[in-house]
Amino acid sequence: FAGIAFWLVLMARAIFPALLAPNGQDKNLLALLTSSVVCIGLFYGTGLFYGERTHISVMEYWRWWVVHLWVEGFFEVFATTALAFIFSTLGLVSYRMATAASLASASLFMLGGVPGTFHHLYFSGTTTPVMAVGASFSALEVVPLVVLGHEAWEHWSLQHKATWMKNLKWPLMCFVAVAFWKH
């Protein structure tokens, strides 16, 4: 529990002052980033509820859910929101576009997080239509991240108009690449 507590305290020290600041700016994107960070810590905390005397089938069941819901949902929301926050802070995308992409990612996770794991059930005898539903939801989960990356790439291609973009070329290229190469 110490690692999870450390993670939450570290993030809280950085994020909560910005959430509580009375600057009148819309804080929806920051609230989404905060909730995704908290959910990651809490979600991995569930892995600490079994121990050495827990039956292997129970441990494997929960391990499977933790790993696959992380890949199929939490990571998508966190990656999209974190990159949206970075891109909007740097001026590569509008704040409204960043918030819309983050909300779309969170909505897709809420709608298709569990069905998105169905494409992994091949060896358990799941029917083809059920796996197709899972594959469809899994493929849709990266759409907001790709749209966000495309928007950032379009603005980055105008780099000759802003000298600060030349100084941040490689970090920006890394973030844009994350948006496209995640899946």
Side-chain angles (χ1 to χ4, degrees):
F1 288 111
I4 294 169
F6 177 73
W7 170 261
L8 292 175
V9 168
L10 186 66
M11 298 313 295
R13 287 187 59 197
I15 294 174
F16 285 132
L19 277 174
L20 300 174
N23 60 2
Q25 184 182 4
D26 183 21
K27 295 183 174 116
N28 290 329
L29 186 60
L30 187 57
L32 278 168
L33 179 62
T34 304
S35 62
S36 70
V37 167
V38 169
C39 285
I40 288 170
L42 294 175
F43 187 68
Y44 272 106
T46 62
L48 301 173
F49 285 113
Y50 51 81
E52 62 187 41
R53 301 202 190 283
T54 306
H55 194 272
I56 187 75
S57 61
V58 173
M59 287 191 298
E60 284 299 308
Y61 175 78
W62 285 109
R63 182 203 57 82
W64 191 89
W65 277 109
V66 166
V67 168
H68 288 90
L69 282 181
W70 163 254
V71 171
E72 303 295 336
F74 282 118
F75 181 74
E76 300 295 341
V77 176
F78 174 73
T80 304
T81 308
L83 285 178
F85 190 78
I86 291 169
F87 288 161
S88 66
T89 302
L90 292 175
L92 288 174
V93 298
S94 69
Y95 195 79
R96 188 174 185 177
M97 168 65 182
T99 304
S102 298
L103 285 172
S105 181
S107 299
L108 282 171
F109 167 65
M110 297 300 281
L111 177 69
V114 173
T117 63
F118 289 167
H119 68 277
H120 294 285
L121 302 178
Y122 176 76
F123 293 107
S124 65
T126 304
T127 62
T128 303
V130 172
M131 287 190 302
V133 167
S136 298
F137 276 111
S138 185
L140 283 174
E141 289 168 353
V142 296
V143 170
L145 188 59
V146 170
V147 168
L148 186 69
H150 177 67
E151 183 78 14
W153 175 259
E154 289 293 319
H155 284 132
W156 183 81
S157 64
L158 302 172
Q159 67 176 324
H160 61 277
K161 297 191 186 233
T163 57
W164 65 268
M165 280 193 189
K166 290 179 184 175
N167 296 333
L168 295 174
K169 176 184 178 181
W170 292 113
L172 291 175
M173 290 298 289
C174 176
F175 290 140
V176 170
V178 166
F180 289 108
W181 291 337
K182 193 286 176 191
H183 259 348

